[in-house]
């Protein structure tokens, strides 16, 4: 792995951060002393990543990852995301064009298409991309940014929702987004906040410390620096996310008790994944998990509100940036 930080190009320290060693013991996180970005060490090979993300391992063949009730809740959150996009878009209340990077099964694109938007998606797994095209008749590219083949200045809005931390070269991705955005176009990027109270309390038990899927771990400072490198001008920062922040606290608190890591989250997945999880956990751990839910659930809401609106270090952050047409970013080789 390169010894320099991807964000600020400072040499990375040799030692890994003790507070953020992954629970599986195979991966740790090396933190840049200058900008605070975390880097997963060792870097998984392309073959390992392909296996992790292949259809059937990361999500079902139809693209779904969770039980039906959870999927219904996710659909409601996608409706809320649509309203947010329309609020920040520079299309004067009219429908525009949108690219969703890391679009998953394409549900958000489907919601935007139904609203009249021209949409396209990008996935990093070919099978998932084909599922999006088959399910919703939406164009979905796959692979590295240089292979997408999308025309310059073709989108009013680009969304990267909890995807930037997964990619091998986040700067290259943001530079590509800069090229694909029209003048005044809007980029909406959401990531887990590595410098949040949630991350500091959780340490190695933090729910969003998802190695090796997460190759990078962004603080607000490091994400701002990265966007600046890509010649994007920050317009707004949201530090509260009802979809990610409360559950992040809830699962982190449960993890800290020593119950099997991410047990609740895995129980909410599709039936096959849920049965696999149930077969690997004791009845005592399962009972304790559900006994603690009312107490930790209440605490999670309170901690989310404190963290987001008082401490202003939300467990996740969402940055809205616009294309800076004064400077063209240098392409990363």
């Amino acid at each position: 792995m390169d010894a320099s930080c991807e964000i600020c190009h400072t040499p990375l320290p040799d030692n890994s951060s003790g507070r953020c060693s992954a629970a599986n013991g195979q991966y740790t996180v090396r933190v840049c002393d200058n900008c605070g970005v975390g880097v997963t060490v060792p870097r998984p090979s392309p073959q390992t990543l392909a296996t992790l993300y292949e259809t059937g391992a990361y999500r079902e063949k139809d693209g779904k990852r969770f039980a039906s009730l959870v999927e219904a809740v996710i659909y409601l959150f996608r409706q809320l995301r649509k309203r947010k996009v329309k609020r920040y878009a520079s299309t004067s209340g009219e429908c525009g064009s949108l690219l969703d990077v890391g679009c998953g099964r394409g549900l958000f694109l489907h919601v935007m298409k139904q609203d009249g938007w021209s949409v396209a998606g990008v996935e990093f797994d070919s099978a998932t991309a084909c599922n999006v095209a088959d399910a919703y008749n939406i164009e979905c590219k796959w692979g590295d940014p240089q292979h997408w083949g999308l025309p310059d200045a073709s989108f009013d809005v680009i969304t990267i929702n909890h995807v930037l931390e997964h990619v091998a070269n986040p700067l290259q991705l943001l530079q590509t987004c800069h090229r694909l955005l029209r003048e005044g176009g809007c980029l909406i990027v959401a990531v887990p906040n590595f410098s949040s109270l949630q991350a500091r309390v959780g340490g190695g038990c933090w729910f969003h410390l998802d190695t090796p899927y997460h190759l990078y771990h962004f603080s607000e400072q490091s994400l701002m620096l990265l966007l600046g490198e890509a010649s994007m001008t920050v317009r707004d920062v949201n530090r509260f996310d009802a979809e990610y922040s409360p559950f992040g606290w809830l699962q982190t608190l449960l993890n800290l008790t020593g119950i099997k890591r991410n047990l609740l989250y895995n129980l909410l997945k599709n039936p096959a994944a849920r049965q696999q999880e149930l077969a690997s956990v004791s009845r005592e751990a399962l009972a304790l998990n559900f006994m603690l839910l009312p107490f930790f659930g209440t605490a999670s809401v309170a901690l989310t509100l404190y963290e987001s609106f008082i401490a202003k270090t939300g467990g996740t952050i969402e940055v809205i940036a616009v294309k800076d047409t004064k400077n063209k970013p240098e392409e990363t080789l």
Side-chain angles (χ1 to χ4, degrees):
M1 187 193 72
D2 196 321
S4 295
C5 172
E6 172 72 18
I7 312 304
C8 66
H9 315 295
T10 301
L12 289 169
D14 293 331
N15 60 309
S16 298
S17 173
R19 73 173 177 85
C20 50
S21 297
N24 58 23
Q26 187 176 355
Y27 298 92
T28 57
V29 178
R30 193 180 296 182
V31 181
C32 176
D33 292 330
N34 186 49
C35 71
V37 70
V39 182
T40 295
V41 180
R43 170 71 64 83
S45 68
Q47 294 78 14
T48 298
L49 290 173
T51 301
L52 289 170
Y53 285 108
E54 67 183 2
T55 303
Y58 192 66
R59 63 180 81 245
E60 287 186 323
K61 291 184 178 180
D62 63 359
K64 296 180 181 180
R65 295 179 62 190
F66 299 99
S68 298
L69 180 60
V70 179
E71 289 285 342
V73 174
I74 290 173
Y75 179 78
L76 294 177
F77 280 123
R78 297 301 168 266
Q79 293 287 342
L80 293 175
R81 191 185 300 174
K82 176 186 71 175
R83 295 175 59 184
K84 183 182 299 182
V85 165
K86 295 175 73 172
R87 184 169 73 246
Y88 285 113
S90 59
T91 53
S92 301
E94 299 178 358
C95 297
S97 56
L98 178 139
L99 175 68
D100 189 20
V101 179
C103 61
R105 66 185 177 100
L107 178 61
F108 176 57
L109 289 173
H110 176 61
V111 168
M112 296 302 293
K113 182 180 178 181
Q114 287 185 316
D115 194 58
W117 283 64
S118 173
V119 300
V122 171
E123 257 300 331
F124 300 94
D125 172 73
S126 59
T128 304
C130 290
N131 287 338
V132 174
D134 292 341
Y136 299 117
N137 192 28
I138 291 173
E139 179 186 21
C140 188
K141 305 291 187 178
W142 67 278
D144 294 330
Q146 63 266 30
H147 299 145
W148 294 350
L150 296 168
D152 293 357
S154 54
F155 295 99
D156 297 299
V157 178
I158 298 178
T159 55
I160 311 176
N161 192 62
H162 289 264
V163 170
L164 192 66
E165 63 272 19
H166 292 257
V167 302
N169 193 328
L171 177 56
Q172 180 193 54
L173 174 58
L174 293 180
Q175 288 172 336
T176 300
C177 291
H178 183 280
R179 175 175 58 82
L180 295 176
L181 280 170
R182 292 174 178 148
E183 183 175 352
C186 174
L187 176 68
I188 304 176
V189 185
V191 296
N193 184 2
F194 191 60
S195 62
S196 64
L197 176 63
Q198 189 179 121
R200 294 196 300 271
V201 170
C205 295
W206 183 35
F207 172 61
H208 291 296
L209 184 66
D210 193 11
T211 57
Y213 292 98
H214 292 183
L215 304 179
Y216 290 93
H217 310 266
F218 295 101
S219 63
E220 185 171 326
Q221 174 194 9
S222 60
L223 181 57
M224 296 296 188
L225 287 171
L226 188 63
L227 288 165
E229 285 277 320
S231 295
M232 300 298 300
T233 301
V234 174
R235 175 179 169 186
D236 200 1
V237 181
N238 296 324
R239 300 179 180 88
F240 172 77
D241 191 313
E243 181 177 0
Y244 290 94
S245 296
F247 188 84
W249 268 113
L250 176 58
Q251 186 61 79
T252 297
L253 293 174
L254 289 169
N255 288 344
L256 285 169
T257 66
I259 300 173
K260 186 177 180 183
R261 182 180 175 86
N262 295 345
L263 173 60
L264 177 61
Y265 176 73
N266 290 328
L267 291 176
L268 296 175
K269 289 184 177 180
N270 59 67
R274 184 167 61 250
Q275 288 302 319
Q276 183 178 355
E277 187 72 4
L278 287 171
S280 65
V281 66
S282 67
R283 292 182 178 179
E284 292 77 10
L286 195 63
L288 180 59
N289 181 83
F290 286 104
M291 286 174 59
L292 291 172
L293 281 182
F295 307 101
F296 284 177
T298 302
S300 297
V301 173
L303 286 166
T304 296
L305 295 175
Y306 169 79
E307 180 178 54
S308 300
F309 298 108
I310 298 177
K312 297 187 183 300
T313 59
T316 64
I317 49 174
E318 181 181 63
V319 179
I320 295 86
V322 295
K323 183 172 182 175
D324 183 353
T325 56
K326 296 179 182 179
N327 299 303
K328 181 180 179 182
E330 296 181 1
E331 293 295 332
T332 301
L333 299 178

